[in-house]
Amino acid sequence: MFYRSIPCFTVIVQKFLSISSISSRSTMNDVTSLLTVLRNAYLAGVASVLPEALVPKLVKRLGNNLKVGQTVHPLNSNCYIIGFGKAVINMVKPVEDILRNADGSSHLLDGVISVPYGIQNTIKDCNLLPDKSSKVRVYEGAKNNMPDEHALTATREIITLVEALKSSDLIIALISGGGSALLTLPKPPVTLEEKQNIIQTLNRAGADITELNTVRKLLSEVKGGNLALKTRARIITLILSDVINSPLGIIASGPTVPNEDTREDLTKIFSKYDIQMPPSVMQALSDYKPSCTDDFGHVSNFLMGDNNVALDAARKSIQTSLGEECCTVVVSSSLRGEASSVAETMAMLCHLILKGYDKCARENLISTPEFDEEKMSVEKRFDFQGISFAQLISSLFVSDADQLISDIGSSIVARKPCCLLFGGETTVRVVGTGIGGRNQEMVLAMMIHLHKVLHDEQLSGHVAFVSAGTDGIDGPTDAAGAGTYWTPQECSYRESLAAGLNPEAFLSNNDSHNFFCRLGGGKYLIQPGHTSTNVMDLQLLYIAPPPQ
């Protein structure tokens, strides 16, 4: 197994990132080492977006002033902290440290945060929790990332706090992914149970995060800018993005951001997924109007980190481990779509590249309809960033091994192994009764499609693939994701058949977690537990030519 849950993610980072780099010559023929390299790159990506690393980069203390970005705010024992999200628990201490004076006094007077159920116990040994002198009250809730009565209680405490503040007061709002479930107050007459059912139904139907949060905002008393409208105090929001392209109005459903969504937007979403709109929803929206941006002059929103930061750190980790002999490219930070469908397209990409490595296959490939069809599917699926699909493929097909493509930030030479990095957030259409998450489902589907696409062809080379969530949790499981591999001689798919497992049956039942628990005793699972951060998912795909 890549690693088992232990109390503190920081310990995991220190342990695994201290491992010496592995040369690409040995790694190209060793799938275990390959998966370790990819796993360590995932860890490096997560470490780069830990809140305790990001907060001090953005928030500075200048005497009796607080500088956030380019804005300066006077400090006069007038600060309050509120927060909600999976990463918030680790944001509090660095903010409190900045607000504390040399004599031990503090400009912080009070605070309330809403964090995931069980997270304090997860990181209790790491000295990252608010200390005993903290003014911040911590509420846990939203078990399995669904709003509940505990999150509702925390939300009411936050509202009580902010409504009592004056215009001279300063609120530091800490926001990260998962905040939508942890900050919840349905708009009457919609009940918490009704809203839970609506979100669960949309989620199971395959709605993406933008659609889900549009519904959440329109049916909430606090989301969609409504929290900011409940106070006269100045608000500084420190935001860690878990949304593709980081639109601030979508992250945690934008409680401090003007909401431009309309009733018609909600109606379209319900109609798209053929879901009947309850009467309570129609009544709740009867007098709804989009926000007026003029009402948000007291709010300053700051994006601290996102998926691009994690991808860059993962890229550097791979370069350190595999050196210049491997071309490492960030393909996209906006991966989306249905997880198993994305995996199918990635398998096509592997097929194209492995064909390109094979000279005989290459000469007969480029002019075929099959090549054009696969190429179009890949181009349509992935938003290539900093490199075009044509550059990537043609650089692997060139006959001159010394020819370089220099305009993509990292040169690619024919027959070089490559590691392609993706980030984003896919969805799962739940039709079965199994247990899993989008990352494990993507890896299981990738295993199946790699075998389907490659097993009948006389191709050689290696493929290794990892997909994992930066929050350490994939669906209602204790895993962040999983890994898989393929070579002509052996692969995870054949290993599963030998173990008496039917990958297709597990996939059709959305039972990816149980599949990987049973395959090799769970050795392909990635299980860090709560990482206390969240910038969506990371996918790392290594493709190598056969040894020359």
Side-chain angles (χ1 to χ4, degrees):
M1 184 168 301
F2 287 164
Y3 51 91
R4 286 290 189 184
S5 297
I6 60 177
C8 178
F9 178 78
T10 301
V11 174
I12 299 175
V13 173
Q14 293 170 345
K15 177 180 178 182
F16 284 101
L17 297 190
S18 64
I19 296 175
S20 340
S21 63
I22 304 169
S23 74
S24 59
R25 286 189 177 88
S26 65
T27 305
M28 279 174 25
N29 296 306
D30 183 347
V31 292
T32 300
S33 295
L34 270 176
L35 289 174
T36 298
V37 167
L38 299 187
R39 183 276 319 278
N40 285 347
Y42 158 77
L43 287 173
V46 174
S48 72
V49 289
L50 292 177
E52 60 266 31
L54 293 172
V55 169
K57 292 181 179 179
L58 179 64
V59 183
K60 309 289 184 182
R61 177 73 178 268
L62 301 176
N64 282 328
N65 292 292
L66 191 69
K67 184 179 181 182
V68 186
Q70 299 303 313
T71 66
V72 177
H73 302 269
L75 297 174
N76 186 25
S77 298
N78 57 344
C79 296
Y80 300 82
I81 288 177
I82 61 172
F84 25 89
K86 296 177 181 178
V88 162
I89 191 69
N90 282 12
M91 293 185 192
V92 172
K93 192 173 187 301
V95 172
E96 284 199 281
D97 289 343
I98 292 169
L99 295 176
R100 188 174 291 114
N101 299 315
D103 62 2
S105 63
S106 177
H107 290 285
L108 180 67
L109 299 181
D110 197 1
V112 180
I113 62 170
S114 179
V115 298
Y117 176 81
I119 195 169
Q120 292 180 95
N121 186 62
T122 299
I123 63 172
K124 63 182 179 181
D125 299 326
C126 292
N127 198 32
L128 298 174
L129 290 169
D131 58 34
K132 293 181 180 179
S133 65
S134 175
K135 304 285 183 66
V136 178
R137 292 166 280 149
V138 180
Y139 290 80
E140 293 188 356
K143 193 172 184 179
N144 295 328
N145 201 34
M146 288 300 297
D148 56 20
E149 290 293 337
H150 298 288
L152 190 62
T153 297
T155 302
R156 287 175 173 146
E157 288 294 319
I158 290 172
I159 292 172
T160 298
L161 174 61
V162 303
E163 284 184 334
L165 300 183
K166 306 181 296 296
S167 59
S168 58
D169 292 322
L170 178 63
I171 297 171
I172 300 174
L174 311 175
I175 300 177
S176 74
S180 291
L182 288 160
L183 185 77
T184 184
L185 185 61
K187 186 183 293 292
V190 178
T191 66
L192 179 61
E193 183 179 6
E194 283 180 312
K195 194 168 181 182
Q196 287 173 330
N197 291 335
I198 289 169
I199 297 302
Q200 285 179 323
T201 301
L202 285 168
N203 198 26
R204 291 176 67 89
D208 63 28
I209 188 64
T210 299
E211 293 169 326
L212 290 173
N213 284 4
T214 294
V215 174
R216 285 167 169 151
K217 286 189 289 182
L218 290 166
L219 299 182
S220 175
E221 291 281 87
V222 286
K223 298 179 175 71
N226 287 325
L227 181 63
L229 297 178
K230 292 182 181 295
T231 185
R232 295 174 295 165
R234 291 168 295 150
I235 301 176
I236 296 171
T237 56
L238 308 180
I239 303 171
L240 191 61
S241 172
D242 69 331
V243 180
I244 289 173
N245 298 326
S246 301
L248 299 186
I250 295 298
I251 303 166
S253 302
T256 62
V257 180
N259 185 23
E260 299 178 355
D261 296 327
T262 66
R263 285 176 292 184
E264 289 71 24
D265 293 325
L266 184 140
T267 301
K268 290 177 182 177
I269 293 169
F270 274 77
S271 176
K272 175 180 177 179
Y273 295 101
D274 195 23
I275 298 172
Q276 186 173 0
M277 188 180 297
S280 60
V281 171
M282 292 185 284
Q283 185 176 345
L285 294 177
S286 60
D287 59 350
Y288 170 79
K289 294 180 181 179
S291 302
C292 176
T293 55
D294 292 343
D295 296 330
F296 289 80
H298 61 307
V299 181
S300 299
N301 295 307
F302 296 91
L303 182 66
M304 284 199 307
D306 60 10
N307 191 260
N308 285 300
V309 175
L311 282 170
D312 188 56
R315 176 185 61 81
K316 290 175 181 176
S317 173
I318 291 170
Q319 288 179 328
T320 298
S321 295
L322 300 183
E324 294 182 359
E325 295 183 21
C326 178
C327 170
T328 306
V329 178
V330 174
V331 176
S332 175
S333 62
S334 55
L335 195 65
R336 69 188 80 196
E338 207 280 323
S340 61
S341 177
V342 171
E344 182 177 14
T345 309
M346 283 194 178
M348 290 182 188
L349 180 59
C350 294
H351 179 245
L352 291 173
I353 291 176
L354 289 175
K355 279 275 194 179
Y357 286 140
D358 186 316
K359 182 178 180 181
C360 294
R362 180 170 69 244
E363 291 174 349
N364 297 322
L365 172 68
I366 297 179
S367 61
T368 65
E370 291 78 11
F371 174 84
D372 289 336
E373 183 178 349
E374 287 189 344
K375 177 176 176 292
M376 289 176 62
S377 296
V378 170
E379 286 181 312
K380 184 177 179 179
R381 169 69 66 187
F382 302 132
D383 299 326
F384 289 87
Q385 297 174 188
I387 175 175
S388 70
F389 174 79
Q391 284 176 317
L392 177 62
I393 296 298
S394 65
S395 65
L396 296 169
F397 286 1
V398 295
S399 58
D400 180 2
D402 293 324
Q403 181 176 341
L404 302 178
I405 304 295
S406 60
D407 60 344
I408 60 175
S410 179
S411 299
I412 298 181
V413 183
R415 293 185 63 81
K416 262 193 175 185
C418 60
C419 191
L420 309 180
L421 281 69
F422 304 81
E425 187 168 288
T426 58
T427 59
V428 172
R429 182 175 177 81
V430 179
V431 294
T433 59
I435 299 173
R438 58 182 179 263
N439 289 286
Q440 293 165 90
E441 176 137 334
M442 185 186 295
V443 176
L444 177 55
M446 182 71 162
M447 176 193 301
I448 293 169
H449 288 300
L450 282 174
H451 176 74
K452 180 179 179 180
V453 170
L454 302 177
H455 85 286
D456 284 336
E457 301 204 33
Q458 300 299 312
L459 293 175
S460 188
H462 291 167
V463 176
F465 178 67
V466 159
S467 181
T470 55
D471 61 357
I473 302 167
D474 189 34
T477 77
D478 62 355
T484 189
Y485 74 94
W486 175 91
T487 74
Q489 295 77 31
E490 56 180 340
C491 63
S492 305
Y493 185 90
R494 294 193 190 111
E495 182 182 347
S496 67
L497 295 182
L501 302 175
N502 184 333
E504 288 84 358
F506 278 89
L507 181 63
S508 65
N509 194 36
N510 300 115
D511 203 17
S512 56
H513 184 64
N514 283 323
F515 174 85
F516 284 111
C517 283
R518 293 174 61 181
L519 180 61
K523 66 181 180 180
Y524 296 109
L525 285 172
I526 300 176
Q527 294 175 288
H530 281 291
T531 63
S532 296
T533 192
N534 184 20
V535 294
M536 301 186 293
D537 306 328
L538 299 177
Q539 287 84 25
L540 301 97
L541 175 60
Y542 178 90
I543 309 169
Q548 299 188 26

